[in-house]
Each structure stands twice: as structure tokens, then as C-alpha cells.
């Protein structure tokens, strides 16, 4: 049976009521006109129809053809509706309908249908052909739907000629359609519905608002995901008096909030989510009389007092989503007046206080008399909202309650157990305490319960075991106790995610218990499961994530393994695979992408793997972390990795890879950590790397790379903290623009062929100007407890030391082993947080800067094999001027007049002699008692080594 679109159904009703249309074969007695028949025949001939949808398009009675509608009086064709009723989706692809996709070309004879009013070709697959210009000559067209039909290119401005058009939908997918101007829309003076979702509008100016404002009949405007940017704050006079639906979500409008919205009383639906909006949400938004749907989620910086905003009328509100912003303050009890509410989402905000417990309590109050009193001020909070009293069962329509990631305290109110239509309850990551009400387990429609990461105590009610529709259940990271029995899972046949970890549960399940569910995520860490390994786990065939850590299981131990052989491929889909630090050998399987198509985290580091990296790795599009380091892999880096657009970590270091660094890696726009070190790579740094604006670590040392450091590396990398290019063949001058890297803590350019002088601008490196006092673990690609921990080899006093957990404390500049000349810039002494400075084995001349003693944190200084002047005195063999020493080692004569030498001497004693043993200061600096003990050892070392007399001598010279 043929199915109409919504407007198509309306036209069908018109057909019945007025007799104007002949719909789907309710035939006109005569035949089609010759011109209409020829136009439709030409149209059919241009189409590819694999499912033979147009089999009825035969003979001269075109009004009986599938998808054709005619005027009941004249027989003229006025409607073509060939939208695909079964578009390709994950559901339809396995159904029995097949793919009803039309494709091919749109015949230029279509405008010969002079009376055509309705054209719907949506949800077909026209294989990137352009929307024909000639559609703009269909003067009588009132409805045009070309959405998601496979068109591409520029939307023709000729569509603006259809002044009778009331409905236009050219929404697309993947920005395949675009427009460089919306001025043509101004010609659509009758337009009521405009949808251009995901059309690329990045080239248009913000005058589009003024254009839309001229469409006085406009009822719906959909411009979601159109790459619009700039401010939408100003609209001098609002002419959109009929506007009901406004969807501008997933653009980048930036700071401020469009206050003009509150002046459109006809609004029922507003979606401004994910737009980078900031500023204050106007309180009057809650007074827009017809508003039913508001979504401002994902803007991050929109703020408002929760208490003040939610006390407004919100007379008809059904969906209120303010998630992921800066909503603050307490929840008012008056939210109970929102009796039409179906979705309430304040997750990821700064809401504090308790969840009001008085909601729904006062409606049974028959009499409440405060007359003949001298009361002043406002009513007590518990009476708020009783004048328009809510039903005894609050929120009768509520289906989604999401308040996670806030600062809520107190207990769970009793009225939550009365929300009979509730599907999802998410209160994760708050500070809620007390017991879990057993009444929550009586909400038979619940599919998702999130109470994790709170302060809940008591036992887990077994009434949850009766929720047959439950798919996600999370009570992890609380203070819950007691037994978990089979009754807790009795009817949970649809359960997919179960998180019970970080509580004190004792799991009491019989050895022959068969679970009614097939879970994908099973997290029971820190639950008492032992001593035997749970036998019921063998029935779980869909597990992707499993945590039985700290579960008192004594008959299985997988720690400290020496696994050998090839990489095992799982027989079920998994999201995480960590086989690092074993002795696995052989090659990486070519069919890995088929066995693990949804893999997110992959670590095979520190094994004995050989062969190449398979091209199929680029087919695992969900990958966020790839660590194949410390193996024996050969060949080149596969270009297919560019398809892994979510990748945050790529570590291929310490292998035998060859070839060049591919330009394709510059497509990994989310990449934060890149290690290609210790391979046999050649060539230069690809220019595409300038797109990696999220990069924090660039380690390509110990290869055979050459060329200059590109100038753009100093621009657009606000988070770049580590650059290691050491031991390559880079040449040219060190760019002064490196100083723009405000987060740079480690700059390692050692063992190359750099020439010229040391840029004085390096003294402006902000992250080295102050001591790094806080240990920040550099963890990337975090997913379900697994993560990639950043590490780096740093050369100190000729030794290579690996830093990971304390890496964030290290600040280092290593320019050793190059052909640099000129002086040591005085500006380097501004880097008071610098820990390592190595300028050795160059051709540096001149003296040591006088303020070098300002480098209080310096633990390692390398200056040897240069042409520096001004160094003298013990332990060097060069005596300082007027420096006489008697046989007892005491100074003869007055104090030295070389202040710089004195300062340098103390630094050389503190660094030159002791740098090798001072490096641990990085680790123990967090505890002053450890520091005191440590330097006590250093003092003893100085005494025993004969340095005490030397230090005392120079102190006397100084004083």
C-alpha cells in the first residue's frame, strides 16, 4: 500500500473533501493530456528503477499510475510523490522490502507538467547529480521535497522563482549540497516550511536572518548542521509572527544569546543546541506562551540561575534540555507545575542543593487557613506552586529525567517512585546519599537507571529485578552493601549494561544459574564474586567489556603474563584490545577490521610483532588509540589510517618502519599524541600537519628526516607541549616563531644540522617561565578504564631517562649536537622554570649570561665543546685573575671582582658536579621532608668529595 508524507496525507484529505485531486488511481474518467503523458514518460525513461516501482506507468491513464495525482476536474497532473518509503537504514537493510531507491537523471521535460503543484523525490539515491535549474520554472509548485535524495553541488538560485512554493526541503547528508547565498529565498513569498539541514552554508553572510525575517508566512525553519558562524544577536524588528519551529542546532554562532526569540509568541519549538553560545539565558524564555520544546544543550557557556528560570510559567513545556552548560543554583519545587513535561535534562551543569521533596505532596490538602494573622513576606518554600496544584502523581507524562554530573545532595524523594511513564532516570555523578527507594523498582517502563558515582548507602532493592524492559543499570561507585541474588535479575532479559563496581556487594548466585540476559558491558569490580570464577559467565556471548578486578577470585590469575603465539581474534565484537607487554609474535592479522569493526582502543605495544601494518586498520573507523610501539614492524605507514578520524593517539615508535611520513596523517584532526620515533623514516615534515591543531606531543626523533622546521609550526598549536626532532638530519635555522607555542615544555632539537644563532625569542616560552608544581598525568584515548599514558625519553648528563607520571613537571631545551653559533641569549635566563638546558657540542661563543643564576629550577646544564669565554677556577685548570691559593687551600688576596664567575661557579658546583644526582628532585619535590632528607645526603656527598673547602673559599671571596 502506498504511503503519503505528512503533507501528502493532508492533500489526500483535501482530495476527499473537495474532489480536486485524484490520488493514487482514484481515476479521472479521461486520459492524461498528451503533453503530461509525454513529460511523465520522459521522466520515467531517465530514471533507474531497480525494484520496478514504476511498473504501473503504462498506457495513457496516467492518473492511475503509482505516485501520480491529478486534478479531479481537468485531469491535469498536479502531484508526483515518489519518495522512498523504505530508505536504507540498519533496520530496513535486513527487512523484506528491498531498496526502493530511484536514481538516474531528472528529465528536462518535467516543467511541461504545467499544473504540477507537488513534487516529492526524497530519500532516493540520485548519485550526486545536481538539482536541475529547470525546477525553478515549475510556477505552480507548492510542495518540493528533495531531501536526502543524493543530490550534490550548489542549490540553484532559480528555485527562488517559485513564488507559490509553501514547502521546501533540500536537507542533505554529509554537506553534499551547498549554497553561497540565500538571497534567492526572499523570492519565496508564500513559503511556510524551509528545511536545509546539513546543507553547507559556510560561505553565506549573516544577512540570512534578515532574509528569513521577510518571510512573513514562515512557520518552520530548519538549518541544523549548516556550518553557519558569527553572531545572531541582532534582529531589528521581528517579522516572523507565524514562526512555530526554529532549529538552528549544530552551528557555530558564538558568544551571546538571541534575545529576540522571546518576542515571538507563536514559537512552539526552539533548538539552538551545540552552537558555542555563551552569556545569560533570558528568564523570559519561560514566559513564551506556546513553547513546548526547548533544546539549548551542548553550548558549554550558557548560564542562568536554575531557581529563577524554572520558576517561570513554562505553561506548555514538554521538552526542556539545558544539558552541558553552566546552569547553577537550586531546583525550585515549582518545577512540579510542568505537568506536560516529557523530557527534563539538566545534566553536566552546576546545579546544587537537593531534589525538591515536596512535589506532589500538597494536592491532597483540603483546607489550609492562614487568615487573621500578621504574616508578612512570601509563602514558605514548601507551599510554592500550591495555588495551581499539581496532581498527586507528579509529572504524569515524564519519560526522561537526566540530572547527572551536577552537585545535587540529599536523598532520593519519594515521588520518584510515582513516575509511571519514566523510561530513563540518570542521576550519575552527584552527591546524593541515603537509601535507594524500593519503589523505583516498580516503575515498569524503566529502560535506563543511572545512580552511579554518588554517596548512596544501604542495600539494593531486589524489586529492580522485575523491570523486564531494563537495558542499562548503573549503581557503581557508591557505598552500597548486602547480597546480590538471582532475584535482582529475575526478569532482566533485555539487560545490556550492568555496572555494580566500587561497592561492597556480595554476589550470591548459584553455580548452575543461567542469566536471563546477554550483557555487553559487565562491570563488577570490587564486588565479592569469589573464590571461584563465576560459571554463569560462560553463557554470556556478547560481552565487550568485562571488569572482575578486586573481586576475591582466587582460581584464575591473568597478571604478569608471558603470552606467546599470534594475536588471538575474538569471536564476539569487542571495543578494547590490550595485549601489550607480552611476547606475542607473528604479524598483525589482515582481517582485524572484520573481527573487531567497532574497536576503540588498540594496544599491542612491547611484543615481538613482525611484518607490516595492515591497510585494513583504516577500516576500523571508531579507533581512538593505536599503540603498536616497541615491536619489529616493517614497511610503510598505511595511508588508510587517515580514515580513523576519531584517533587521538598514534604511537608507532621503536619499530623498523620506513618510507616517508604520509601527508594523510594530517587528516587526523583530533590527534593529540603522535610518536613515530626510532624508525627509518625519511623525507620532511608534511605540510598537512599544520591542521593538527589539537596536537600535544610530536615525537619524530631518531629517524632520517631532513629539511627545515616549517614556519607554521609556531602557529595554531595552543596545546603543543612536547616537540622532539632529535637525531635526524634537519637543517636551517631554528624558527623564532617557536616562542608562540604557549604550552611548550619540552623542545628537543639535538643531534641535527641546525645552523645560525639561538633565537632570543625562546626566552618567551610561557610554559617554561614558571616552575611546574602540579603533577598532571597525561592520559589520552581514555575509554572504560583503559588509556594511553604519555611518556618520553629525555637525555640528562648523557643518560636517556624515561619520564611518564612526572613528565608534566619537566621543562627542557636541548639544542646540543648542532652547528649553532653566536652567544647564549640573555633572554633564556627568564625561563625560571627550566629544568634541563643543553647547548653542548655547538660553536657558541661569548660569555655566560650574567643572570643565569635566575634559573632556580635548573638541574642539568650542558655547555661543553663550545667556544665560550669567562669560565675559570676549580675544578677547571684555568685560573681566574688574582686567584692565589696557598698549600692549605685558602684564598690569598681580596675577593674576586668577577661577579659573573662567582655566580657561575656556584651554579657549576650545584649543576656541573651534582646534576646526575639532583634529577630525583623532580620526583621528590612534592614533599618538603623528602627534599630535606635528600639534600642531607647531598651535603654528606659534598663533605666527602672535598667540595666543602672549595665552596667555603668562594663564599669568602664573595663576602
Amino acid at each position: 500500500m502506498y504511503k503519503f508524507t505528512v503533507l501528502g496525507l493532508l492533500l489526500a484529505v483535501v482530495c476527499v473533501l473537495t474532489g480536486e485531486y485524484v490520488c493514487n488511481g482514484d481515476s479521472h474518467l479521461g486520459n492524461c493530456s498528451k503533453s503530461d503523458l509525454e513529460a511523465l514518460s520522459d521522466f520515467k525513461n531517465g530514471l533507474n528503477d531497480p525494484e520496478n516501482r514504476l511498473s504501473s506507468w503504462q498506457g495513457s491513464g496516467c492518473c492511475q499510475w503509482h505516485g501520480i495525482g491529478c486534478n479531479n476536474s481537468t485531469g491535469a497532473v498536479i502531484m508526483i510523490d515518489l519518495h522512498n518509503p523504505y530508505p536504507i537504514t540498519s533496520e530496513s537493510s535486513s527487512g523484506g522490502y528491498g531498496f526502493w531507491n530511484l536514481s538516474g537523471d531528472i528529465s528536462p521535460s518535467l516543467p511541461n507538467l504545467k499544473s504540477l503543484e507537488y513534487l516529492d523525490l526524497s530519500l532516493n539515491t540520485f548519485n550526486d547529480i545536481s538539482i536541475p535549474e529547470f525546477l525553478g520554472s515549475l510556477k505552480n509548485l507548492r510542495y518540493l521535497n528533495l531531501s536526502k535524495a543524493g543530490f550534490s553541488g550548489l542549490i540553484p538560485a532559480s528555485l527562488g522563482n517559485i513564488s507559490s512554493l509553501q514547502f521546501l526541503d533540500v536537507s542533505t547528508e554529509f554537506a553534499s549540497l551547498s549554497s553561497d547565498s540565500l538571497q534567492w529565498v526572499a523570492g519565496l513569498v508564500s513559503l511556510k516550511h524551509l528545511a536545509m539541514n546539513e546543507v553547507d552554508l559556510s560561505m553565506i553572510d549573516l544577512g540570512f536572518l534578515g532574509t528569513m525575517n521577510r518571510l512573513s508566512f514562515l512557520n518552520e525553519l530548519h538549518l541544523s548542521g549548516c556550518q553557519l558562524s558569527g553572531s545572531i544577536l541582532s534582529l531589528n524588528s521581528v517579522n516572523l509572527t507565524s514562526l512555530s519551529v526554529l532549529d538552528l542546532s549544530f552551528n557555530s554562532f558564538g558568544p551571546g544569546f538571541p534575545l529576540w526569540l522571546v518576542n515571538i509568541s507563536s514559537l512552539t519549538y526552539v533548538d539552538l543546541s551545540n552552537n558555542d553560545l555563551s552569556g545569560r539565558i533570558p528568564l523570559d524564555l519561560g514566559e513564551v506562551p506556546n513553547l513546548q520544546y526547548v533544546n539549548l544543550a551542548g553550548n558549554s557557556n550558557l548560564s542562568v540561575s536554575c531557581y529563577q528560570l524554572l520558576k517561570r510559567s513554562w505553561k506548555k513545556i514538554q521538552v526542556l534540555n539545558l544539558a552541558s552548560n553552566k546552569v547553577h543554583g537550586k531546583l525550585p519545587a515549582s518545577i512540579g507545575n510542568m505537568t506536560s513535561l516529557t523530557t527534563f535534562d539538566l545534566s553536566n551543569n552546576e546545579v546544587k542543593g537537593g531534589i525538591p521533596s515536596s512535589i506532589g505532596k500538597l494536592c491532597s490538602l483540603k483546607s489550609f487557613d492562614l487568615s487573621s494573622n500578621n504574616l508578612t513576606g512570601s509563602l514558605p518554600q514548601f507551599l510554592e506552586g500550591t495555588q495551581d496544584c499539581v496532581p498527586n502523581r507528579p509529572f504524569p507524562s515524564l519519560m526522561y529525567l537526566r540530572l547527572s554530573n551536577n552537585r545535587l545532595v540529599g536523598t532520593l524523594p519519594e515521588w520518584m517512585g510515582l513516575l509511571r511513564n519514566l523510561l530513563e532516570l540518570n542521576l550519575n555523578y552527584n552527591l546524593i546519599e541515603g537509601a535507594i527507594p524500593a519503589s523505583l523498582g516498580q516503575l515498569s517502563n524503566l529502560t535506563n537507571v543511572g545512580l552511579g558515582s554518588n554517596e548512596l548507602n544501604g542495600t539494593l532493592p531486589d524489586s529492580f529485578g522485575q523491570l523486564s524492559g531494563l537495558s542499562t543499570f548503573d549503581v557503581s561507585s557508591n557505598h552500597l552493601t548486602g547480597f546480590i541474588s538471582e532475584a535482582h535479575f529475575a526478569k532482566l532479559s533485555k539487560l545490556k549494561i550492568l555496572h555494580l563496581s566500587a561497592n561492597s556487594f556480595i554476589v550470591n548466585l548459584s553455580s548452575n544459574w543461567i542469566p536471563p540476559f546477554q550483557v555487553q558491558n559487565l562491570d563488577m569490580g570490587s564486588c565479592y564474586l569469589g573464590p571461584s570464577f563465576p560459571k554463569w559467565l560462560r553463557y554470556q556471548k556478547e560481552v565487550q567489556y568485562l571488569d572482575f578486578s578486586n573481586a576475591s577470585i582466587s582460581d584464575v590469575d591473568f597478571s604478569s603474563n608471558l603470552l606467546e603465539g599470534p594475536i588471538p581474534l575474538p569471536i564476539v565484537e569487542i571495543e578494547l584490545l590490550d595485549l601489550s607487554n607480552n611476547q606475542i609474535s607473528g604479524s598483525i592479522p589482515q582481517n582485524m577490521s572484520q573481527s573487531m569493526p567497532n574497536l576503540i582502543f588498540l594496544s599491542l605495544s612491547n611484543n615481538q610483532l613482525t611484518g607490516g601494518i595492515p591497510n585494513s586498520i583504516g577500516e576500523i573507523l571508531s579507533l581512538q588509540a593505536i599503540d603498536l610501539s616497541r615491536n619489529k614492524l616493517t614497511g610503510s605507514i598505511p595511508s588508510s589510517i587517515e580514515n580513523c578520524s576519531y584517533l587521538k593517539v598514534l604511537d608507532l615508535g621503536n619499530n623498523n618502519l620506513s618510507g616517508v611520513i604520509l601527508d594523510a596523517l594530517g587528516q587526523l584532526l583530533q590527534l593529540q599524541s603522535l610518536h613515530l620515533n626510532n624508525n627509518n623514516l625519511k623525507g620532511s615534515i608534511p605540510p598537512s600537519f599544520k591542521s593538527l591543531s589539537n596536537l600535544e606531543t610530536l615525537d619524530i626523533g631518531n629517524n632520517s628526516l631532513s629539511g627545515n622546521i616549517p614556519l607554521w609550526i609556531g602557529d595554531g598549536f595552543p596545546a603543543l607541549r612536547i616537540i622532539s626532532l632529535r637525531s635526524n638530519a634537519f637543517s636551517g635555522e631554528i624558527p623564532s616563531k617557536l616562542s608562540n607555542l604557549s604550552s611548550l615544555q619540552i623542545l628537543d632539537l639535538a643531534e641535527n644540522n641546525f645552523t645560525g644563532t639561538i633565537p632570543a625569542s625562546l626566552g618567551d616560552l610561557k610554559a617554561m617561565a614558571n616552575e611546574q608544581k602540579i603533577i598532571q598525568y597525561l592520559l589520552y584515548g581514555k575509554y572504560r578504564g583503559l588509556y594511553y599514558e604519555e611518556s618520553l625519553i629525555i637525555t640528562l648528563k648523557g643518560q636517556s631517562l624515561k619520564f611518564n607520571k612526572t613528565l608534566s613537571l619537566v621543562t627542557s631545551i636541548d639544542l646540543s649536537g648542532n652547528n649553532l653559533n653566536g652567544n647564549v641569549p640573555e633572554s633564556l635566563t627568564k625561563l625560571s622554570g627550566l629544568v634541563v638546558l643543553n647547548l653542548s657540542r655547538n660553536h657558541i661563543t661569548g660569555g655566560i649570561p650574567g643572570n643565569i643564576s635566575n634559573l632556580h629550577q635548573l638541574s642539568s646544564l650542558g655547555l661543553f665543546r663550545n667556544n665560550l669565554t669567562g669560565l675559570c677556577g676549580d675544578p677547571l685548570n684555568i685560573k681566574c685573575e688574582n686567584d692565589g691559593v696557598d698549600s692549605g687551600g685558602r684564598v690569598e688576596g681580596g675577593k674576586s671582582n668577577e661577579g659573573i664567575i662567582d655566580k657561575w661557579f656556584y651554579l657549576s658546583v650545584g649543576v656541573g658536579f651534582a646534576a646526575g644526582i639532583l634529577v630525583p628532585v623532580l620526583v621528590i619535590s612534592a614533599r618538603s621532608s623528602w627534599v630535606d632528607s635528600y639534600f642531607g645526603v647531598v651535603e654528606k656527598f659534598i663533605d666527602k668529595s672535598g667540595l666543602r673547602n672549595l665552596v667555603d673559599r668562594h663564599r669568602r671571596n664573595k663576602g
Side-chain angles (χ1 to χ4, degrees):
M1 176 67 73
Y2 178 72
K3 293 185 180 180
F4 282 104
T5 59
V6 173
L7 194 54
L9 273 174
L10 292 176
L11 290 175
V13 172
V14 172
C15 166
V16 173
L17 294 179
T18 68
E20 181 181 358
Y21 296 94
V22 173
C23 306
N24 281 326
D26 295 334
S27 64
H28 178 265
L29 295 178
N31 294 329
C32 291
S33 69
K34 182 179 179 181
S35 59
D36 281 2
L37 188 61
E38 289 178 352
L40 288 175
S41 297
D42 289 345
F43 178 55
K44 177 189 176 183
N45 291 337
L47 298 176
N48 296 322
D49 180 16
E51 296 294 324
N52 205 21
R53 291 175 59 189
L54 306 182
S55 60
S56 64
W57 285 36
Q58 299 178 21
S60 58
C62 65
C63 294
Q64 297 180 0
W65 293 357
H66 172 79
I68 300 299
C70 297
N71 183 287
N72 198 39
S73 300
T74 66
V77 173
I78 56 175
M79 181 175 71
I80 299 177
D81 189 346
L82 294 178
H83 81 281
N84 184 0
Y86 309 112
I88 298 177
T89 65
S90 57
E91 291 81 11
S92 66
S93 62
S94 59
Y97 298 112
F99 303 139
W100 282 39
N101 282 319
L102 296 175
S103 59
D105 296 311
I106 309 297
S107 170
S109 62
L110 197 62
N112 293 334
L113 298 172
K114 301 297 184 181
S115 300
L116 193 64
E117 299 178 8
Y118 185 104
L119 177 60
D120 189 347
L121 300 177
S122 60
L123 303 173
N124 285 292
T125 309
F126 281 99
N127 296 323
D128 295 328
I129 67 171
S130 299
I131 295 176
E133 290 267 355
F134 55 73
L135 292 185
S137 61
L138 293 168
K139 300 297 185 181
N140 291 311
L141 208 59
R142 290 191 284 171
Y143 181 100
L144 177 59
N145 192 345
L146 305 177
S147 62
K148 299 181 181 180
F151 293 105
S152 67
L154 280 174
I155 297 173
S158 62
L159 295 183
N161 298 331
I162 313 175
S163 58
S164 59
L165 200 62
Q166 298 179 22
F167 183 104
L168 175 60
D169 191 344
V170 288
S171 300
T172 185
E173 293 178 306
F174 315 115
S176 55
L177 282 170
S178 63
S179 181
D180 53 10
S181 172
L182 290 182
Q183 293 299 318
W184 56 270
V185 176
L188 303 177
V189 294
S190 304
L191 199 63
K192 296 181 180 180
H193 181 115
L194 176 60
M196 301 180 71
N197 293 331
E198 295 194 41
V199 173
D200 183 357
L201 301 179
S202 59
M203 299 301 293
I204 73 167
D205 58 48
L206 285 176
F208 82 91
L209 269 180
T211 300
M212 301 303 167
N213 197 33
R214 294 159 60 183
L215 303 175
S216 57
F217 295 107
L218 194 63
N219 182 257
E220 294 193 25
L221 177 60
H222 301 264
L223 297 176
S224 175
C226 292
Q227 304 178 48
L228 292 164
S229 60
S231 174
I232 56 170
L233 299 185
S234 60
L235 198 60
N236 295 330
S237 61
V238 179
N239 190 40
L240 298 169
T241 55
S242 300
L243 191 64
S244 175
V245 175
L246 177 63
D247 184 358
L248 300 178
S249 59
F250 291 95
N251 287 290
S252 300
F253 292 123
F257 189 93
L259 299 178
W260 48 267
L261 285 178
V262 301
N263 297 321
I264 306 178
S265 60
S266 56
L267 276 177
T268 63
Y269 182 110
V270 174
D271 192 343
L272 297 179
S273 60
N274 299 284
N275 265 306
D276 298 324
L277 296 173
S278 62
R280 191 168 183 266
I281 300 172
L283 300 180
D284 286 343
L285 192 62
E287 304 295 345
V288 178
N290 296 300
L291 211 49
Q292 300 175 25
Y293 181 105
V294 174
N295 188 352
L296 304 179
N299 282 295
S300 300
N301 288 308
L302 283 176
S303 65
V304 72
S305 164
C306 177
Y307 189 82
Q308 293 179 358
L309 181 67
L310 298 182
K311 283 194 61 152
R312 295 301 177 116
S313 300
W314 300 103
K315 294 179 179 178
K316 298 182 179 180
I317 196 68
Q318 297 178 15
V319 174
L320 183 57
N321 188 349
L322 305 179
S324 301
N325 281 292
K326 292 184 177 178
V327 178
H328 53 85
K330 298 182 179 180
L331 290 168
S334 57
I335 59 174
N337 294 335
M338 302 179 187
T339 55
S340 299
L341 205 59
T342 62
T343 299
F344 187 53
D345 193 341
L346 292 180
S347 57
N348 298 296
N349 277 290
E350 300 169 4
V351 182
K352 61 183 181 180
I355 302 173
S357 60
S358 60
I359 294 175
K361 283 187 175 180
L362 297 176
C363 286
S364 57
L365 201 61
K366 302 298 184 184
S367 176
F368 189 77
D369 191 351
L370 292 177
S371 61
S372 300
N373 279 289
N374 295 317
L375 297 175
T376 60
S378 58
L379 286 172
Q381 183 178 356
F382 77 93
L383 289 176
E384 288 179 1
T386 58
Q387 292 171 330
D388 297 314
C389 198
V390 298
N392 285 329
R393 185 164 61 86
F395 303 115
S397 304
L398 192 63
M399 293 188 290
Y400 302 94
L401 178 58
R402 298 165 179 154
L403 300 174
S404 61
N405 287 86
N406 280 288
R407 302 174 188 173
L408 295 171
V409 296
T411 60
L412 295 173
E414 295 177 5
W415 56 261
M416 281 192 174
L418 302 174
L419 303 176
R420 300 303 184 196
N421 291 309
L422 198 64
L423 298 175
E424 179 180 336
L425 173 64
N426 193 341
L427 301 174
N428 290 330
Y429 297 100
N430 279 288
L431 300 169
I432 300 171
E433 58 190 11
I436 300 175
S439 58
L440 291 182
Q442 298 170 9
L443 301 179
S444 57
N445 291 312
L446 272 176
T447 62
N448 188 324
V449 173
L451 300 174
S453 299
N454 278 285
E455 303 293 330
L456 296 168
N457 53 39
T459 61
L460 184 66
D462 60 10
S463 57
F464 283 104
Q466 300 300 309
L467 300 179
S468 59
L470 197 63
S471 63
T472 298
F473 187 61
D474 183 359
V475 292
S476 62
S477 300
N478 280 287
H479 306 292
L480 298 169
T481 59
F483 289 90
I484 300 294
S485 68
E486 297 171 16
H488 286 91
F489 308 112
K491 295 183 179 180
L492 305 188
S493 59
K494 296 181 180 179
L495 192 65
K496 293 299 178 184
I497 297 174
L498 176 62
H499 290 176
L500 303 177
S501 64
N503 285 289
S504 299
F505 289 130
I506 299 174
V507 180
N508 185 21
L509 300 169
S510 66
S511 58
N512 58 356
W513 179 61
I514 300 177
F517 50 74
Q518 288 291 328
V519 292
Q520 296 174 350
N521 290 11
L522 181 57
D523 183 358
M524 302 181 78
S526 299
C527 296
Y528 187 87
L529 286 166
S532 299
F533 194 83
K535 294 183 179 180
W536 52 265
L537 187 63
R538 61 185 169 180
Y539 299 108
Q540 298 302 299
K541 307 298 184 182
E542 300 178 11
V543 175
Q544 299 178 15
Y545 174 81
L546 176 66
D547 184 359
F548 280 178
S549 61
N550 193 29
S552 302
I553 297 173
S554 58
D555 64 350
V556 176
D557 185 0
F558 292 112
S559 62
S560 302
N561 289 295
L562 295 172
L563 298 175
E564 299 179 351
I567 297 174
L569 293 177
I571 59 174
V572 296
E573 284 192 15
I574 62 173
E575 295 178 337
L576 306 99
L577 179 63
D578 186 354
L579 297 175
S580 58
N581 302 307
N582 279 288
Q583 295 182 5
I584 297 173
S585 58
S587 59
I588 301 175
Q590 292 286 339
N591 61 340
M592 175 180 285
S593 62
Q594 299 174 14
S595 300
M596 298 174 282
N598 298 313
L599 199 64
I600 292 174
F601 187 99
L602 173 64
S603 179
L604 303 175
S605 65
N606 197 22
N607 279 287
Q608 304 293 324
L609 296 174
T610 56
I613 302 172
N615 281 322
S616 60
I617 199 169
E619 298 172 7
I620 311 177
L621 303 181
S622 54
L623 274 170
Q624 295 185 27
I626 299 176
D627 186 358
L628 306 179
S629 62
R630 291 178 292 163
N631 280 288
K632 300 176 182 178
L633 298 172
T634 56
S636 58
I637 302 171
S639 60
S640 62
I641 287 183
E642 70 174 328
N643 298 324
C644 303
S645 58
Y646 297 106
L647 204 62
K648 293 176 173 61
V649 176
L650 179 60
D651 190 346
L652 307 179
N654 293 280
N655 280 289
N656 296 312
L657 299 174
S658 56
V660 299
I661 300 178
L662 297 173
D663 214 46
L665 296 186
Q667 303 300 316
L668 303 175
L669 302 184
Q670 296 191 32
L671 199 64
Q672 294 176 286
S673 179
L674 176 61
H675 290 266
L676 303 177
N677 55 293
N678 295 80
N679 280 288
N680 299 313
L681 301 172
K682 59 184 179 180
S684 58
I685 299 176
S688 64
F689 273 28
K690 63 185 175 183
S691 299
L692 303 179
S693 58
N694 291 308
L695 203 61
E696 297 187 23
T697 297
L698 175 62
D699 183 4
I700 53 176
N702 292 282
N703 280 288
S704 300
L705 300 168
S706 58
N708 298 340
I709 297 178
L711 296 179
W712 48 257
I713 207 169
D715 300 319
F717 294 91
L720 191 58
R721 66 170 77 227
I722 297 171
I723 297 178
S724 178
L725 309 183
R726 73 175 297 119
S727 299
N728 279 288
F730 289 110
S731 57
E733 297 188 351
I734 298 173
S736 60
K737 294 182 72 174
L738 289 178
S739 63
N740 295 339
L741 300 174
S742 58
S743 300
L744 193 64
Q745 289 183 224
I746 296 175
L747 177 63
D748 190 349
L749 306 180
E751 313 295 341
N752 279 286
N753 298 317
F754 292 114
T755 56
T757 60
I758 300 173
S761 61
L762 293 185
D764 297 326
L765 289 166
K766 294 180 180 179
M768 301 185 188
N770 299 301
E771 178 185 358
Q772 301 294 327
K773 298 180 180 179
I774 300 176
I775 294 179
Q776 177 185 358
Y777 294 157
L778 306 179
L779 310 177
Y780 304 113
K782 290 185 287 185
Y783 188 74
R784 297 196 179 279
L786 282 182
Y787 52 79
Y788 174 89
E789 183 177 42
E790 188 63 271
S791 64
L792 192 72
I793 302 295
I794 298 176
T795 301
L796 295 173
K797 298 291 293 179
Q799 296 184 347
S800 296
L801 301 177
K802 183 178 181 179
F803 288 83
N804 43 41
K805 288 186 170 55
T806 58
L807 182 59
S808 64
L809 298 178
V810 181
T811 52
S812 169
I813 296 178
D814 192 344
L815 308 180
S816 62
N818 283 288
N819 295 310
L820 301 172
N821 54 47
N823 298 327
V824 177
E826 181 84 20
S827 61
L828 291 184
T829 63
K830 295 189 297 182
L831 304 178
S832 57
L834 199 61
V835 174
V836 178
L837 177 61
N838 193 351
L839 306 178
S840 59
R841 292 180 290 115
N842 279 289
H843 306 293
I844 300 172
T845 57
I848 305 298
N851 295 325
I852 200 164
S853 59
N854 293 341
L855 303 181
H856 303 296
Q857 299 300 314
L858 202 63
S859 294
S860 178
L861 176 65
L863 295 171
F864 66 93
R865 294 190 186 175
N866 279 293
N867 299 316
L868 295 169
T869 58
L871 292 180
C872 63
D874 295 329
L876 301 177
N877 294 324
I878 304 173
K879 288 190 175 183
C880 298
E881 185 179 354
N882 299 324
D883 189 12
V885 182
D886 63 14
S887 58
R890 293 181 302 184
V891 176
E892 293 183 358
K895 62 183 180 182
S896 170
N897 60 3
E898 296 286 342
I900 295 178
I901 297 175
D902 287 342
K903 293 178 181 179
W904 173 244
F905 175 80
Y906 292 126
L907 186 65
S908 65
V909 169
V911 177
F913 283 103
I917 59 172
L918 287 180
V919 169
V921 173
L922 290 171
V923 180
I924 65 175
S925 60
R927 295 279 302 268
S928 59
S929 60
W930 297 354
V931 175
D932 293 339
S933 300
Y934 175 74
F935 278 103
V937 176
V938 175
E939 286 288 315
K940 292 179 181 178
F941 168 77
I942 291 176
D943 285 335
K944 291 182 179 180
S945 63
L947 293 178
R948 175 65 67 192
N949 291 334
L950 203 55
V951 172
D952 289 343
R953 190 193 97 192
H954 276 266
R955 283 177 178 166
R956 288 195 297 271
N957 283 348
K958 189 72 178 172

